[in-house]
Amino acid sequence: DAGVIQSPRHEVTEMGQEVTLRCKPISGHDYLFWYRQTMMRGLELLIYFNNNVPIDDSGMPEDRFSAKMPNASFSTLKIQPSEPRDSAVYFCASSFRDDRDQAYEQYFGPGTRLTVT
Amino acid sequence: EDQVTQSPEALRLQEGESSSLNCSYTVSGLRGLFWYRQDPGKGPEFLFTLYSAGEEKEKERLKATLTKKESFLHITAPKPEDSATYLCAVQARRGSARQLTFGSGTQLTVLP
């Protein structure tokens, strides 16, 4: 398996522009997570999906952020309009099917480094 | 609120000098504690899952242990290629919740 795939790897945009980050989870995983990592705040969960349904979006910083998962193999995180404080590395992760209330590890993609000028 | 505190923030070791990294946690019922390794410019790479106090897991030069309040990642005779940031995370046993709470990490540098 190729692992979690994210695109683009790097994105540089100007303040006010729309940014769309993309993620393809590992096949067969039914949980998908979006994280943001900064030096100041570390790794923070933004939102996660189970079977394509958003379960918890309490980490989404504000209405400028939105995420969708139209099918089991694709998710997007959109920022509109973008601001310089959104500059960070955004990670997507996926996790196994969870049949027995067990803790399953999350597998991370390589991340998208977003710079908003 | 779940909390994870890792110490030290940074650690420099000579090659072959064994040491331990600490992860203290507060969670309302632990479903699992995870250790990850993160190299610069890459995503976190899964290492171990620990489920209950007393559990231990090993992989090459790494050994992870768990108590009711903390976890240790022991590194035996480290090599320069072990240099990375090591992250600890907890998942609470709270209904159907599956989110992880991460610590800020320990940046390990192993000098040749």
Side-chain angles (χ1 to χ4, degrees), chain A residues 8-63:
Chain A
R9 293 295 312 279
H10 302 274
E11 178 79 38
V12 180
T13 191
E14 292 184 348
M15 182 174 63
Q17 297 298 305
E18 177 179 295
V19 175
T20 299
L21 311 182
R22 297 172 176 79
C23 174
K24 176 179 169 55
I26 294 172
S27 177
H29 285 188
D30 66 350
Y31 283 91
L32 184 139
F33 304 82
W34 282 102
Y35 290 88
R36 178 171 68 177
Q37 188 175 42
T38 61
M39 288 294 293
M40 289 296 294
R41 300 176 65 88
L43 200 57
E44 301 175 288
L45 178 67
L46 299 176
I47 184 172
Y48 77 96
F49 296 82
N50 179 211
N51 291 324
N52 313 336
V53 176
I55 302 301
D56 185 346
D57 66 353
S58 59
M60 296 285 261
E62 44 196 279
D63 292 344

Side-chain angles (χ1 to χ4, degrees), chain A residues 37 45 56 98 101 103 106, chain B residues 31 36 38 93 98-99:
Chain A
Q37 188 175 42
L45 178 67
D56 185 346
D98 193 341
D101 194 36
Q106 296 176 16
Chain B
R31 177 179 273 118
Y36 284 84
Q38 187 173 22
R93 187 175 298 283
R98 291 296 180 267
Q99 56 266 53

